[in-house]
């Protein structure tokens, strides 16, 4: 008869330390990918002046990264399931580092567009592995904190892109100007790749997993038919080709889903595991994540327009206004896991309500004072928004993956992150188009303040959609505990 060997305090401490190091490595990649998504917004004037980038080129520099990232995400998750999450993570980090260097040394707008496409694809290789490793390799008691860290890194990366990006461009260190926002990734990527090769777990064989190139092509085509017209439609005046492309996206997506269904029935490995959508918590979390990211992406975009074009703040000062959102997001995300552990899904409901209060107060302030709304009021409202966001986003990710099997962790992470990026792009395109439409040819702070109010009310509807899905997750949680 053998005795069970229990871990002593030293072993437990060492184990916790190992997972903490792994998490830091994983989250550094999450941060820089989100940072690079938003940082180009504040650098757009410099890119236009230095490279002669047209409005269309600027949209491709921003939107091309988003498209490549979103369209490659599920394939990246599947490759991780097939070849090992550590291997794909390291490859992705190295590729992201190289493509960031290429972005930083380009001399024409066309070169930067191509480099940004490649950078987005590199991000799609490494980011799905982050959630996959957390889901499949972290012990259950460590996952809540890890998911909270993931949400915090993603949120801070988004906000830091606005804050630090403006500071780096304005500082013009070593005469690099806008190039520094890309070159800063090089030392970070080198350190991350070396650390990941040392601390992340080895591949776990999953021989039943295979590639599905036709499914990957179909999904990428469907996303392209939606994302490209959404991103370029407004500046192009919504010509016929934009509407034709968006209409074609529907049959292409339907045909792709049909193909995935056929592969699954044949016992093969479709790129998109449709069985995931039968997992109630995954389905509800996915919808909530889409609503949240549509609101968040559009808020960051329209608020930047209000601050710079409406209130005439410099890129640096506009970035500083986002700082309270980042600080309070960090604070609430830091304790979000503990709050969820104690209060369950109620903590997400209350967090969403705090966000809603911040949005309402900001809309009321703009309605009352217009462009004369004080910076103190803006900072207060955004602090509330950040406080609520930090309590929601990290725990929402964890709830979505709660019932997902470890062997499907990579593709599930890919689906979640793809939907999030599409939601951000869709929110920017749709609510941004409404914002521009309300402004028209008019100028002045009052016009921007009025347009921002409409954007905020739409954002409020999206936040309440998040609350609705969280209530569904709460019901699922109760049913699980009862069974």
């Amino acid at each position: 008869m053998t005795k069970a060997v229990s871990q002593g305090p030293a072993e437990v401490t060492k184990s916790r330390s190992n997972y903490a190091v792994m998490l830091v490595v994983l989250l550094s990649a999450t941060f820089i990918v989100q940072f690079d998504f938003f940082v180009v917004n504040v650098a757009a004037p410099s890119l236009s002046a230095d490279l002669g980038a047209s409005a269309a080129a600027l949209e491709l520099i921003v939107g091309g990264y988003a498209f490549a990232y979103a369209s490659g995400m599920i394939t990246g998750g599947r490759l991780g399931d097939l070849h090992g999450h550590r291997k794909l993570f390291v490859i992705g980090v190295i590729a992201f580092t190289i493509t960031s260097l290429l972005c930083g040394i380009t001399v024409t707008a066309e070169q930067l567009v191509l480099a940004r496409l490649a950078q987005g694809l590199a991000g799609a290789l490494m980011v799905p592995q982050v959630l996959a490793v957390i889901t499949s390799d972290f012990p259950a008691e460590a996952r809540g904190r890890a998911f909270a860290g993931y949400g915090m890194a993603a949120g801070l990366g988004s906000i830091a892109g606005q804050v630090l990006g403006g500071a780096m461009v304005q500082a013009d260190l070593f005469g690099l100007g806008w190039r520094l926002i890309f070159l800063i990734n090089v030392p970070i990527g080198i350190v991350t790749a070396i650390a990941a090769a040392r601390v992340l777990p080895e591949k776990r064989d999953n021989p039943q997993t295979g590639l599905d190139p036709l499914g990957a092509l179909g999904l990428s085509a469907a996303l392209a038919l939606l994302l490209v017209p959404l991103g370029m439609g407004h500046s192009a005046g919504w010509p016929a080709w934009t509407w034709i492309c968006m209409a074609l996206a529907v049959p292409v997506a339907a045909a792709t889903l049909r193909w995935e269904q056929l592969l699954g029935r044949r016992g093969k490995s479709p790129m998109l595991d449709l069985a995931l959508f039968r997992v109630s918590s995954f389905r509800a979390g996915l919808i909530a994540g889409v609503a949240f990211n549509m609101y968040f992406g559009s808020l960051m975009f329209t608020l930047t327009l209000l601050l710079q074009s409406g209130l005439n703040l410099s890129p640096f000062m506009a970035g500083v206004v986002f700082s309270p959102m980042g600080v309070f997001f960090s604070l609430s995300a830091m304790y979000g896991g503990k709050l969820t552990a104690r209060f369950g899904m109620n903590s997400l409901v209350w967090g969403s309500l705090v966000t809603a209060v911040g949005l309402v107060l900001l809309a009321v302030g703009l309605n009352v004072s217009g462009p004369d709304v004080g910076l103190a009021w803006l900072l207060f409202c955004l602090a509330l928004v950040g406080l609520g966001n930090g309590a929601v986003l990290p725990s929402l990710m964890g709830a979505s993956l709660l019932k997902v099997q470890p062997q499907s962790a990579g593709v599930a992470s890919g689906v979640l992150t793809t939907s999030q990026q599409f939601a951000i792009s869709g929110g920017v395109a749709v609510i941004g188009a409404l914002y521009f439409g309300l402004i028209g040819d008019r100028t002045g702070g009052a016009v921007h303040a009025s347009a921002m109010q409409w954007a905020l009310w739409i954002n409020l509807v999206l936040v309440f959609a998040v609350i609705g899905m969280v209530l569904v997750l709460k019901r699922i949680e109760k049913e699980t505990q009862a069974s």
Side-chain angles (χ1 to χ4, degrees):
M1 180 175 173
T2 59
K3 292 183 178 180
V5 180
S6 61
Q7 282 188 313
E11 288 79 3
V12 171
T13 301
K14 183 178 179 181
S15 177
R16 289 176 178 173
S17 176
N18 289 341
Y19 286 118
V21 172
M22 287 170 56
L23 190 60
V24 169
V25 171
L26 293 168
L27 297 188
S28 63
T30 304
F31 179 90
I32 61 174
V33 167
Q34 288 298 107
F35 178 88
D36 274 55
F37 187 92
F38 287 93
V39 74
V40 180
N41 290 335
V42 295
S46 299
L47 293 173
S48 181
D50 193 20
L51 299 180
S54 64
L58 288 174
E59 289 194 7
L60 287 172
I61 290 168
V62 177
Y65 176 86
F67 163 69
Y69 184 38
S71 63
M73 197 73 69
I74 297 177
T75 301
R78 177 61 73 193
L79 286 170
D81 289 339
L82 179 61
H83 297 292
H85 303 307
R86 183 180 74 173
K87 183 177 181 179
L88 262 293
F89 182 83
V90 172
I91 291 172
V93 172
I94 293 172
F96 196 87
T97 302
I98 293 172
T99 53
S100 295
L101 176 61
L102 292 176
C103 288
I105 63 175
T106 53
V107 294
T108 68
E110 292 76 15
Q111 289 177 0
L112 185 54
V113 169
L114 293 175
R116 284 283 284 176
L117 286 169
Q119 191 187 32
L121 287 174
L125 286 179
M126 64 178 179
V127 170
Q129 319 315 325
V130 176
L131 290 175
V133 170
I134 293 173
T135 302
S136 62
D137 294 290
F138 277 55
E141 63 273 13
R143 276 182 215 144
R145 184 175 298 176
F147 283 128
Y150 174 85
M152 184 167 65
L156 286 178
S158 304
I159 298 167
Q162 305 283 119
V163 179
L164 299 182
M168 285 191 288
V169 171
Q170 193 159 318
D172 193 24
L173 292 177
F174 310 111
L176 291 172
W178 60 266
R179 299 180 187 275
L180 186 61
I181 66 177
F182 298 115
L183 296 177
I184 193 68
N185 293 335
V186 175
I188 296 174
I190 292 172
V191 172
T192 301
I194 294 172
R198 292 175 62 88
V199 305
L200 295 187
E202 291 279 2
K203 170 193 172 184
R204 292 185 175 183
D205 291 332
N206 188 11
Q208 295 181 342
T209 300
L211 288 178
D212 173 21
L214 188 59
L217 179 63
L219 183 65
S220 298
L223 286 169
L225 289 167
L226 278 173
L227 288 175
V228 172
L230 282 174
M232 301 183 65
H234 173 75
S235 63
W238 298 104
W241 69 265
T242 59
W243 300 104
I244 293 172
C245 285
M246 287 189 285
L248 287 174
V250 176
V252 171
T256 302
L257 291 176
R258 178 62 176 165
W259 169 252
E260 299 297 279
Q261 191 177 44
L262 288 173
L263 279 186
R265 288 177 179 174
R266 294 172 185 172
K268 297 184 178 180
S269 300
M271 182 195 64
L272 185 60
D273 186 1
L274 298 181
L276 285 171
F277 296 95
R278 292 196 290 271
V279 179
S280 55
S281 59
F282 181 82
R283 188 171 59 246
L286 181 70
I287 296 171
V290 166
F292 182 93
N293 283 281
M294 282 192 72
Y295 130 72
F296 183 70
S298 65
L299 176 68
M300 299 289 281
F301 180 69
T302 54
L303 191 57
T304 300
L305 293 174
L306 172 71
L307 295 174
Q308 295 192 40
S309 301
L311 305 185
N312 297 316
L313 298 181
S314 67
F316 174 71
M317 284 305 300
V320 169
V321 173
F322 285 94
S323 299
M325 186 189 294
V327 170
F328 281 89
F329 182 98
S330 302
L331 291 174
S332 59
M334 200 177 301
Y335 296 99
K338 293 181 180 178
L339 290 173
T340 304
R342 182 173 181 180
F343 300 108
M345 296 298 164
N346 287 329
S347 64
L348 278 73
V349 173
W350 285 108
S352 299
L353 289 174
V354 171
T355 295
V357 170
L359 295 176
V360 169
L361 291 177
L362 182 54
V364 170
L366 289 171
N367 183 58
V368 172
S369 303
D372 297 322
V373 64
L375 281 180
W377 185 255
L378 286 174
L379 295 174
F380 171 69
C381 294
L382 293 180
L384 285 177
V385 170
L387 187 67
N389 288 351
V392 175
L393 183 58
S395 299
L396 193 59
M397 293 295 299
S400 301
L401 291 169
L402 186 63
K403 294 185 176 182
V404 173
Q405 296 300 315
Q407 64 268 23
S408 299
V411 69
S413 303
V415 172
L416 283 175
T417 43
T418 295
S419 66
Q420 289 166 2
Q421 294 307 312
F422 173 71
I424 290 174
S425 300
V428 168
V430 175
I431 299 179
L434 172 67
Y435 188 99
F436 285 122
L438 291 170
I439 291 174
D441 297 327
R442 296 174 296 168
T443 58
V447 176
H448 282 272
S450 177
M452 188 67 201
Q453 290 176 58
W454 281 101
L456 288 170
W457 294 125
I458 295 173
N459 287 331
L460 186 65
V461 172
L462 291 170
V463 170
F464 276 105
V466 174
I467 293 175
M469 287 298 101
V470 169
L471 292 175
V472 173
L473 286 168
K474 181 179 177 181
R475 177 178 55 78
I476 294 170
E477 183 183 52
K478 284 184 178 180
E479 292 173 353
T480 302
Q481 291 173 348
S483 59

